[in-house]
Amino acid sequence: MQRENWLYGGLMNNIDILKNWIDESDNIVFFGGAGVSTESGIPDFRSVDGLYKQKYKYPPETIVSHTFLKQKPGEFFEFYKEKMVAPAINSKPNMAHEKLAQWEKEGKLKAVITQNIDGLHQAAGSENVLELHGTVHKNYCDRCYKQYKVSDVINADGIPKCECGGTIRPDVVLYEEGLDSDVMSKAINYISNADVLIIGGTSLVVYPAAGLIRYYRGNKLVLVNLSETSQDGFADLVIHEKIGEVFSRL
Ligand code: APR
């Protein structure tokens, strides 16, 4: 259902307004979540078919936590490899990722700030990507900190082990773990200086990531999200449609 706005003397729908704002800006910042990758075939977390709605021996949000990784590494890696790594490395960017990379190349978009760990923005060609929750593509030994590739994790039989005997873990922010302060301060800087802030494919329920959007000081806050969020009322433009489809029309 598209809210219709009167703008510039004529009836324009929200997509036309968004297109206008994008055409006129060279300082766009994007803040996204799992809903950006669902059109690539990666389920999100909280939609009806999301990862957290599926039934497991433990609640998924318990599994992807620091404590669970330490106490039940075998079960952690079984879930993590099957449900988070495999979908990420077997998926391709969709139109949402492509358009953001195009706008960056055109000098219109300054940064992609994402909660996703699938690396699809970089696969689409985006260069300035701030990964608030890390990425499946970076892994390290929890004892000697030797770096490892995602293939070393997904191809390991059971728990990935370093040659020093330590466990190879993903450079992903698990529940109970903190976000990288350098990434956070860069994200805050881009958002607080943005002309247009486009928020897409996120339920905005996980902090501190969701709190970042409060730093936006402009008057072109766009929300492109299939379902309603608690921030809809603060947005200057709300589009409840699939982000890949919306972006393909811009
Ligand atoms: N287009 C637009 N919106 C979509 C699409 C789509 N194609 N598909 C799904 N959505 C919307 C859903 O309606 C939902 O509101 O994207 C949102 C995804 O929300 P979540 O599943 O909660 O994902 P996200 O907001 O990224 O979760 C944040 O939670 O568990 C942690 O670390 C995990 O980064 C994740 C964080």
Side-chain angles (χ1 to χ4, degrees), residues 73-74 76-78 81 152-161 168:
F76 171 87
F77 279 105
E78 186 184 345
K81 287 194 269 188
D152 298 315
V153 172
I154 194 95
N155 296 333
D157 187 13
I159 303 168
K161 283 293 183 192
I168 302 170

Side-chain angles (χ1 to χ4, degrees), residues 57-166:
K57 197 172 160 193
Y58 309 92
E61 285 170 295
T62 304
I63 300 173
V64 290
S65 72
H66 183 84
T67 303
F68 201 92
L69 169 59
K70 292 293 169 206
Q71 292 179 351
K72 298 178 185 311
E75 291 172 275
F76 171 87
F77 279 105
E78 186 184 345
F79 180 90
Y80 173 72
K81 287 194 269 188
E82 183 196 335
K83 294 297 178 185
M84 306 190 90
V85 179
I89 58 178
N90 294 314
S91 301
K92 296 266 174 289
N94 64 60
M95 187 52 84
H97 302 103
E98 306 284 353
K99 274 289 183 183
L100 291 165
Q102 174 197 322
W103 294 334
E104 182 187 52
K105 282 185 183 51
E106 291 167 352
K108 303 176 76 56
L109 181 127
K110 294 293 174 239
V112 167
I113 300 163
T114 185
Q115 300 168 89
N116 297 345
I117 61 174
D118 56 32
L120 291 185
H121 286 293
Q122 294 91 331
S126 286
E127 292 183 7
N128 192 21
V129 182
L130 297 175
E131 294 172 306
L132 297 174
H133 294 163
T135 173
V136 298
H137 295 281
K138 289 188 187 130
N139 304 272
Y140 62 92
C141 169
D142 66 2
R143 183 187 293 175
C144 71
Y145 297 99
K146 181 174 185 297
Q147 310 271 319
Y148 283 88
K149 299 188 300 294
V150 65
S151 52
D152 298 315
V153 172
I154 194 95
N155 296 333
D157 187 13
I159 303 168
K161 283 293 183 192
C162 174
E163 54 215 17
C164 82

Side-chain angles (χ1 to χ4, degrees), residues 9-249:
L11 180 62
M12 293 172 78
N13 69 29
N14 289 350
I15 304 260
D16 294 334
I17 296 167
L18 176 55
K19 182 163 176 20
N20 222 285
W21 288 356
I22 289 170
D23 290 349
E24 287 174 359
S25 181
D26 62 1
N27 181 1
I28 302 166
V29 171
F30 182 77
F31 178 93
V36 177
S37 296
T38 53
E39 290 164 84
S40 294
I42 303 180
D44 66 15
F45 295 98
R46 296 174 181 84
S47 289
V48 284
D49 58 349
L51 188 61
Y52 294 165
K53 293 290 191 304
Q54 295 169 29
K55 285 278 159 274
Y56 296 100
K57 197 172 160 193
Y58 309 92
E61 285 170 295
T62 304
I63 300 173
V64 290
S65 72
H66 183 84
T67 303
F68 201 92
L69 169 59
K70 292 293 169 206
Q71 292 179 351
K72 298 178 185 311
E75 291 172 275
F76 171 87
F77 279 105
E78 186 184 345
F79 180 90
Y80 173 72
K81 287 194 269 188
E82 183 196 335
K83 294 297 178 185
M84 306 190 90
V85 179
I89 58 178
N90 294 314
S91 301
K92 296 266 174 289
N94 64 60
M95 187 52 84
H97 302 103
E98 306 284 353
K99 274 289 183 183
L100 291 165
Q102 174 197 322
W103 294 334
E104 182 187 52
K105 282 185 183 51
E106 291 167 352
K108 303 176 76 56
L109 181 127
K110 294 293 174 239
V112 167
I113 300 163
T114 185
Q115 300 168 89
N116 297 345
I117 61 174
D118 56 32
L120 291 185
H121 286 293
Q122 294 91 331
S126 286
E127 292 183 7
N128 192 21
V129 182
L130 297 175
E131 294 172 306
L132 297 174
H133 294 163
T135 173
V136 298
H137 295 281
K138 289 188 187 130
N139 304 272
Y140 62 92
C141 169
D142 66 2
R143 183 187 293 175
C144 71
Y145 297 99
K146 181 174 185 297
Q147 310 271 319
Y148 283 88
K149 299 188 300 294
V150 65
S151 52
D152 298 315
V153 172
I154 194 95
N155 296 333
D157 187 13
I159 303 168
K161 283 293 183 192
C162 174
E163 54 215 17
C164 82
T167 297
I168 302 170
R169 63 151 290 169
D171 193 356
V172 163
V173 180
L174 302 174
Y175 278 102
E176 303 163 4
E177 294 181 339
L179 279 69
D180 180 303
S181 52
D182 181 44
V183 173
M184 282 288 278
S185 52
K186 281 181 183 153
I188 289 170
N189 191 39
Y190 280 113
I191 290 174
S192 51
N193 291 306
D195 166 36
V196 179
L197 174 63
I198 304 175
I199 300 168
T202 176
S203 60
L204 293 171
V205 298
V206 172
Y207 286 78
L212 290 178
I213 66 172
R214 289 199 199 112
Y215 289 92
Y216 178 62
R217 295 176 296 181
N219 60 1
K220 298 189 182 78
L221 197 161
V222 185
L223 236 174
V224 184
N225 203 64
L226 264 185
S227 58
E228 288 206 8
T229 74
S230 58
Q231 307 296 313
D232 282 23
F234 299 100
D236 299 294
L237 195 63
V238 178
I239 301 173
H240 288 150
E241 285 189 45
K242 286 188 169 185
I243 188 165
E245 285 175 18
V246 170
F247 277 20
S248 66
R249 292 159 61 185

